[in-house]
Amino acid sequence: EFVEAVKNKVPAADIVDSVVAAPFLALDRIVADAKGSDLKISAENVHFEESGAFTGEVSPVMLEDLGVQYVIIGHSERRAMFAETDETVNKKVLASFAHKLTPIVCVGETLDEREGGKWQSVVKNQVTKAFAGVPSDQAGDVVVAYEPIWAIGTGKSASSDDANEVCAYIRATVAGLYDEATAAKVRIQYGGSVKPATIGELLAQSDIDGALVGGASLQPESFLALLDAVTG
């Protein structure tokens, strides 16, 4: 119902990429429903092996076969609750590219790391390890989503300046790994209580190219309002 409500109302793909990330069980249906529209579909996770004895996992081969276009990798909840590591994130990035999936790689620091002045080293390490082994001709296609874990459920909030500072640092890190041209091509998103009322200010910043949105994207009206705020 969500896809039916928004698929013909999203902006044209040459203006903005509109992506819905859904649980595995919904992917087959919504890929079919979104076909022919400018709405793109993402999985919320992927396993890094093509096949094998990995009961309960979903391989990149399966997602490619379904027609999924994006996949979220290393979300803070996956790292905190399901033992996701920088190494498995990297394996998933490489597996995604091998199967025509665009990886949305989540990075971000905890409250202790932020207050301890460690955010730069944490974020740099996450980005560097995520890009390990990714050739320069693919690196620019990676989407990096900055999640300030310290601002989730803590009562603290990240200002647009806070968010942009980290996103600029992420871009500089990618430039150090590759070059300025590649870093400019990488799309860097901000994810942290993004709402229709705040997304415009965030995207007006120099190094924030998009948003990874949770609660505010769950209803069709709010999802479309986010896109309206972006396109004016």
Side-chain angles (χ1 to χ4, degrees):
E1 291 176 351
F2 181 97
V3 169
E4 290 292 342
V6 305
K7 68 179 184 180
N8 294 320
K9 297 179 181 180
V10 299
D14 60 346
I15 298 175
V16 62
D17 285 324
S18 309
V19 182
V20 170
F24 290 126
L25 293 178
L27 293 176
D28 188 35
R29 175 65 182 271
I30 65 174
V31 166
D33 287 348
K35 190 173 183 178
S37 75
D38 286 311
L39 185 67
K40 300 176 182 179
I41 305 301
S42 173
E44 296 179 338
N45 189 26
V46 65
H47 190 58
F48 47 78
E49 295 288 355
E50 294 185 350
S51 62
F54 305 104
T55 301
E57 293 297 318
V58 175
S59 79
V61 177
M62 298 173 184
L63 297 182
E64 180 184 19
D65 186 57
L66 286 178
V68 171
Q69 295 145 301
Y70 287 80
V71 59
I72 298 174
I73 298 172
H75 190 279
S76 59
E77 293 164 359
R78 297 292 314 174
R79 292 178 186 262
M81 292 186 280
F82 300 99
E84 192 81 87
T85 67
D86 293 330
E87 289 71 25
T88 57
V89 165
N90 177 243
K91 289 181 179 181
K92 292 179 179 186
V93 170
L94 298 176
S96 296
F97 275 127
H99 292 278
K100 303 175 184 177
L101 303 168
T102 299
I104 303 172
V105 181
C106 298
V107 301
E109 78 280 22
T110 65
L111 181 60
D112 287 344
E113 291 164 345
R114 161 64 59 161
E115 293 183 341
K118 300 177 181 178
W119 70 266
Q120 288 183 324
S121 62
V122 170
V123 171
K124 183 176 184 178
N125 186 60
Q126 290 175 335
V127 171
T128 299
K129 289 188 174 179
F131 278 82
V134 177
S136 58
D137 62 338
Q138 290 182 330
D141 294 327
V142 177
V143 180
V144 180
Y146 168 55
E147 299 181 287
I149 302 171
W150 56 272
I152 301 173
T154 63
K156 299 178 182 291
S157 60
S159 68
S160 57
D161 288 337
D162 288 332
N164 192 60
E165 179 183 26
V166 182
C167 290
Y169 185 74
I170 290 170
R171 199 176 305 281
T173 300
V174 176
L177 296 172
Y178 298 93
D179 50 47
E180 295 288 346
T182 301
K185 187 179 177 184
V186 169
R187 285 175 293 173
I188 303 176
Q189 301 178 326
Y190 171 72
S193 300
V194 178
K195 300 177 176 62
T198 62
I199 193 170
E201 178 183 352
L202 288 164
L203 295 188
Q205 298 293 315
S206 63
D207 285 278
I208 302 178
D209 305 318
L212 183 68
V213 188
S217 69
L218 295 178
Q219 298 300 320
E221 297 78 10
S222 183
F223 181 84
L224 293 171
L226 288 161
L227 295 170
D228 287 342
V230 171
T231 60

